[in-house]
Each structure stands twice: as C-alpha cells, then as structure tokens.
Amino acid sequence: MKKLLRGGFVVTPRGSRRADVLLDGEKIAQVGHISPAEAKSAEVTDVSGCYLFPGFIDAHTHFDLDVCNTTTADDFASGTRSAIRGGTTTIIDFACPNKGETLAYGLDLWHKKADGKCSCDYGFHMTIDDWNEGIEAELDDMFAAGITSFKMYMTYPAMMLPDGDLYRALKALKARGGICGVHCENSGVIDALVAEKKAKGENAVSCHPQTRPDYLEAEAVGRILRIAQAAEAPVVIVHTTNAAALSEIDQARARGQVVYSETCPQYLALDDSVYYQEDWLSSAKFVCSPPIRKKSDQDALWAGLKEGRVNTVSTDHCSFTTQQKLAGQGDFTTIPGGLPGVETRGEVVYTTGVAAGRIDLPTLCRALSENPAKLYGLYPRKGCIAPGADADIVVYDPAADHTLHAADMVSRCDYTPFEGFRTSGSIAAVYLRGMPAVENGVVRDVMGEYLKRGKCAL
C-alpha cells in the first residue's frame, strides 16, 4: 500500500517548503500537492509541524572492528540499529585488511560481518595500509564490487603508509575515478612527544591531547594536500578538528585543488575541557584521535559548515564500553580511542547548529544527506526527497525536546559523550526505502541492503 506523509516541511539544500510526500513501495512517487483521489489509495500519516529530511548518511563508522587488543562494542547489528534510530538510513563502514592481506580478503571479511545483520543500508570504503603491485592490481575488482572510495592513514604503525606510497596510491585511484579519505596526524612527532611525557612519569588523560596537538594535524593535512597536488588527485580530509587544519584546506583550494572536508559532532559540540576532569574514567571516555579541540576551533568548523568549506558531518563512530576504556589505566596511550555517535548525530547537530542559529536547515540537509550521497556515489538514489529516489525519510519534530541518556539508547556502548544533553526537538520517525523503521523511538525489524556505489559527483 502507498504511504502519504501529509503536511510536513520538506527540507532540501536549496530551502524548505510545505509539501506532501507520496511513497510507493521503496521509492518516492510524488512530492507536492497530492490530490484527494491519490490520497484515498494511501495510508496517510499526519506530519504537520515536522521537518522531512532525506535519510541521513554517515560515511564514517567503525563497527565490529578489532583494534587496541579488543573489539568495538557495536557490531553491525547493534551499530545499525543505533544508526537508524538516530535518522541514519545509510552507513559506509571501513573494510580493513591488515598489512599483508589482500583487499579481496578484507572485503569478504566485512561482508561476513555485515550481511544479513544491518538495520539500515550500508556500503564499504576500503582501507589501504599496504601499497605494492598486488594491491594496485586489485583496484579494478574493488570498483567492480561498488567500492569507489578508500582510506589511508598517516599515523598508527599497523596502518600508515610512507609519503611515496601515499603519492602512488593517490595517482592510481585518480586514474580510476576514485577518491581517498586520509587520517592526518604527524606520527613521528607524536611518538616523540609521547616518549617525553612518559620519561617525566606523566600519564594523565590530558597527555592525550597534549601529545596530539592541532598543529600536528594541520601539518599532516598540509603534507597530504601537497602530495595530492603532485598526484593531481582529489582527497578527503576526514574528521577535520581545528582552524589550522581548515586553513590548510582553504589554501589548497585556493591553488585549484579538489579537497573535501568532513568533521564530526564531537568537534562541533564539545571542547578539550573533557580531558581535564578530576575522575580518570570520565576523561578517558572522550579519548579519540584526533582529540577534541578548543572552543575557538568549534567556531571555525561551524563557520566552515555555514560557508560550505566543510562538506559533511559524519561520526567516526568507534564505540567502547567503560570497561574497555579502563584497559588504558596506567598508560594513556593504551586507552581505546573512539566515541559512540551514530544515535545522537542528527539531534546534536540540529540543536547546536540550527536551533542555536549557527547554520540553517538547508546547510544541515547538505551536510548530513546530499553531500555525502554525492561524494560517495549514491546520489540521486540517496540524499534527496524527489520522485524516483529511495524513500529514506527522517521526520524531525522541532517541538519534541528531550534529554539524551545512554540508558535510553540501543547502542551496546554504556555511555554517550552527550549524557544529559538537552535537545531542541527530536526524531519522530524514520523510513527506510518506504518501510517504517523507527516509530516513537522504537526500532522496528527492517533489513538493510548492501549498496554498490558509483563515483564521486560532488
């Protein structure tokens, strides 16, 4: 049976307007005035006073990831239930073969982790942590499998590549029309700063941000952008955290380079005071890399979003329980790094952005829906409310404020970095390809599909 969402405000990156939305099976059939005759054959839901967003896309999650001698709290089953409850109808996770393993092995492993377990649609980026003739020979097979975006690291010994391999990989991806996201931090200097802290016997959680300062992220951003300039390749700077890094991106764009920037809710809504709490565990919960920065960096990122210089807001969801975080007691470098975020992203960014007057509704739609769909080869199937698109819709009620508590969430992580946060409005309902997936905060049994993605169109 057709479904009719009546009386809501449809949000696009170009504005919002009151319009009815008719769903026919998995697709959007019409947007605008729906005649009484057409409405008769549909199940009608009154969404008056609510905003209708295209399903949110989180292009940076880590589910069922073995890291830091443990495994993330959320696997694909719990992680995608958490995601769709937060309005995310599509996630793109990272297939991560280890050094010495093939890309094909990594892709097969991630399909085994995810297939048949996801409550939202899903795709994969492919991590490249080795570069040789064998890896390059696999790239065409990855594109054939719908993997058109990749990830490389400038830190972490088990994953990082030297500059020459970064250059060669970017050239190979550019030749095939692919894009690559890069984790940017200066590993060598970070290691030296860590060694100095340990030599002094310093081991507080605050040592984490002190040994990974903003300027070492900015240095790595500037370096990868110069490498990308040599390769004449586009690049995505993932989880951009600070003004200095954003300045490096601005300079590269001024040179004529194609650069995309992603940030995350924790960098928009939190500041580095979280690392200086009296209780060790309270601070350890916020350890992630790059670290959360200063309030002035928040302001720079919000300005970047408003002006279109920051393109997307993903979460870098990499969840660990408080018990897992406790494994880092006695050595701040062994605290598992990562935060939960897929369940709270939409409400936190709406509250701290739109409701606070920092950005408008079209900007939110662009950052959470349309831009990631275009950047990662899913548009116009995803990322828009238009005839022919998948019927992925977030119904946001701006009047339904509530308070975020970990105890109320479906994630397997037992805390949220936004505990006690008072939202402006909330997600009232979510549709996944026309199926009611969330109603009144309750996640229904729906099954996500694997998405073979095309090339970047942003």
Side-chain angles (χ1 to χ4, degrees), residues 357-433:
R358 292 185 173 100
I359 59 172
D360 57 16
L361 286 168
T363 300
L364 182 67
C365 181
R366 189 178 302 116
L368 297 189
S369 303
E370 184 176 288
N371 277 357
K374 288 183 173 180
L375 180 59
Y376 295 114
L378 292 169
Y379 192 85
R381 177 181 175 183
K382 305 288 188 182
C384 60
I385 297 179
D390 280 1
D392 297 346
I393 296 175
V394 178
V395 181
Y396 197 98
D397 184 350
D401 301 1
H402 71 122
T403 302
L404 299 178
H405 294 295
D408 300 329
M409 296 183 184
V410 299
S411 166
R412 287 183 185 157
C413 192
D414 59 351
Y415 79 95
T416 169
F418 300 104
E419 182 69 35
F421 180 93
R422 187 68 181 173
T423 71
S424 294
S426 61
I427 292 167
V430 181
Y431 292 82
L432 173 67
R433 286 179 281 105

Side-chain angles (χ1 to χ4, degrees), residues 95-178:
C96 298
N98 295 315
K99 285 185 183 292
E101 296 174 347
T102 65
L103 303 185
Y105 174 83
L107 180 56
D108 180 65
L109 178 59
W110 252 255
H111 271 297
K112 289 175 180 175
K113 290 172 183 271
D115 292 352
K117 301 170 187 173
C118 292
S119 294
C120 67
D121 288 351
Y122 61 101
F124 303 126
H125 309 286
M126 178 57 63
T127 297
I128 297 176
D129 52 23
D130 259 341
W131 187 253
N132 51 52
E133 291 182 357
I135 296 295
E136 184 171 6
E138 289 191 86
L139 292 181
D140 290 336
D141 290 339
M142 292 298 105
F143 279 82
I147 308 293
T148 57
S149 53
F150 299 77
K151 172 83 172 287
M152 296 190 293
Y153 288 81
M154 300 175 78
T155 189
Y156 306 133
M159 308 177 84
M160 63 186 292
L161 291 175
D163 290 352
D165 285 347
L166 291 170
Y167 166 78
R168 284 182 277 271
L170 287 176
K171 282 198 72 172
L173 294 175
K174 194 271 178 112
R176 293 164 172 81

